[in-house]
Amino acid sequence: MAAVAATAATKGNGGGSGRAGAAGEGSGTRKKKGPGPVATAYLVIYNVVMTAGWLVIAVGLVRAYLAKGSYHSLYYSIEKPLKFFQTGALLEILHCAIGIVPSSVVLTSFQVMSRVFLIWAVTHSVKEVQSEDSVLLFVIAWTITEIIRYSFYTFSLLNHLPYIIKWARYTLFIVLYPMGVTGELLTIYAALPSVRQAGLYSISLPNKYNFSFDYYAFLILVMISYIPLFPQLYFHMIHQRRKILSRTEEHKKFD
């Protein structure tokens, strides 16, 4: 699954969490034929709404922290908007499928669904983990990443990308990516005892379909999948950062 890991990979993402989805990476780095005017207008609106949504989550976290004076259990203060806007990213799969975004449908589906899985099949389904500090860890990483990512797409579509946003997208992942991955892993790990005790989403034999599924074992496999993914994707992102930001510096010197 590797929600942060996979979402980062294809775009040299700023934190564990960008996808192939909303506007297409090429708009910020090389000339490509973009979507038509109607599709562009729609994508601008979509990205503005998503930017605003993640800003709402960020403000909600800050307000809850100031009100409580503690960072524990802040998840409950932003649970609804987090579920809404993260699930709203499913539209990015549709964007790829109908061709208004030049990205792989399969890869985008995997990237989006990995986060939706973590939100609904782990954090929502296992109530015991919702008060874990690890949830706040990945929520903060996702929130900062998505504000930057959707802002990046919006300005790219408008052909006016501030350097600070480009720099943030290709720099802050250095901290946000490990932070998000750590939060995800710890959250899944914290869910394991409850999943095993309740037999959550597991199917045991005998049954008329002669099929069994152990959700507990599946979650362990998900955690193991991070081991090969994390270093490979992290260093890929480092390489992307050097290539894209150095190219920007060259353009500045040339201009």
Side-chain angles (χ1 to χ4, degrees):
M1 182 185 77
V4 164
T7 52
T10 57
K11 295 182 281 192
N13 146 37
S17 299
R19 279 174 296 278
E25 190 68 32
S27 57
T29 58
R30 55 181 175 174
K31 297 293 183 180
K32 284 186 180 180
K33 183 180 179 181
V38 175
T40 298
Y42 161 75
L43 288 173
V44 168
I45 293 170
Y46 172 81
N47 285 289
V48 168
V49 169
M50 295 298 281
T51 302
W54 285 95
L55 281 169
V56 167
I57 294 169
V59 171
L61 286 172
V62 173
R63 291 182 63 183
Y65 173 75
L66 293 175
K68 295 178 59 176
S70 171
Y71 61 86
H72 297 296
S73 302
L74 291 183
Y75 169 80
Y76 301 105
S77 65
I78 48 85
E79 179 180 5
K80 290 182 179 179
L82 177 65
K83 288 177 178 176
F84 180 83
F85 287 103
Q86 185 54 68
T87 305
L90 290 170
L91 285 173
E92 297 182 21
I93 301 173
L94 177 63
H95 298 166
C96 298
I98 64 178
I100 62 174
V101 171
S103 300
S104 165
V105 176
V106 174
L107 184 58
T108 301
S109 299
F110 174 76
Q111 293 169 343
V112 172
M113 291 304 299
S114 65
R115 279 195 178 187
V116 173
F117 173 86
L118 191 64
I119 287 294
W120 289 102
V122 179
T123 309
H124 170 78
S125 299
V126 185
K127 305 297 183 184
E128 292 81 359
V129 306
Q130 294 177 2
S131 59
E132 293 286 334
D133 293 342
S134 59
V135 173
L136 181 61
L137 201 61
F138 76 71
V139 168
I140 291 174
W142 288 10
T143 301
I144 297 172
T145 297
E146 296 298 65
I147 291 170
I148 295 169
R149 185 171 76 92
Y150 286 115
S151 298
F152 177 94
Y153 289 146
T154 300
F155 285 109
S156 294
L157 284 162
L158 296 173
N159 295 315
H160 184 70
L161 178 63
Y163 177 76
I164 186 63
I165 293 179
K166 188 173 187 177
W167 178 89
R169 175 162 172 75
Y170 290 103
T171 301
L172 296 186
F173 78 86
I174 295 172
V175 174
L176 295 176
Y177 180 19
M179 176 180 170
V181 166
T182 301
E184 293 171 22
L185 284 171
L186 290 175
T187 299
I188 297 172
Y189 180 77
L192 290 177
S194 298
V195 169
R196 189 170 198 174
Q197 182 177 5
L200 183 68
Y201 299 143
S202 295
I203 302 172
S204 58
L205 292 171
N207 58 66
K208 64 179 181 179
Y209 301 107
N210 197 30
F211 170 80
S212 66
F213 174 73
D214 189 340
Y215 188 55
Y216 176 85
F218 175 75
L219 288 180
I220 292 176
L221 290 176
V222 167
M223 295 177 67
I224 293 173
S225 73
Y226 280 71
I227 297 174
L229 282 174
F230 177 81
Q232 179 181 349
L233 300 181
Y234 190 73
F235 287 113
H236 169 73
M237 290 151 58
I238 291 288
H239 174 73
Q240 286 292 98
R241 178 183 187 275
R242 290 172 181 165
K243 182 173 69 174
I244 290 171
L245 293 187
S246 64
R247 184 183 302 159
T248 301
E249 291 298 327
E250 288 176 5
H251 285 321
K252 281 185 175 181
K253 291 178 182 178
F254 181 78
D255 292 340

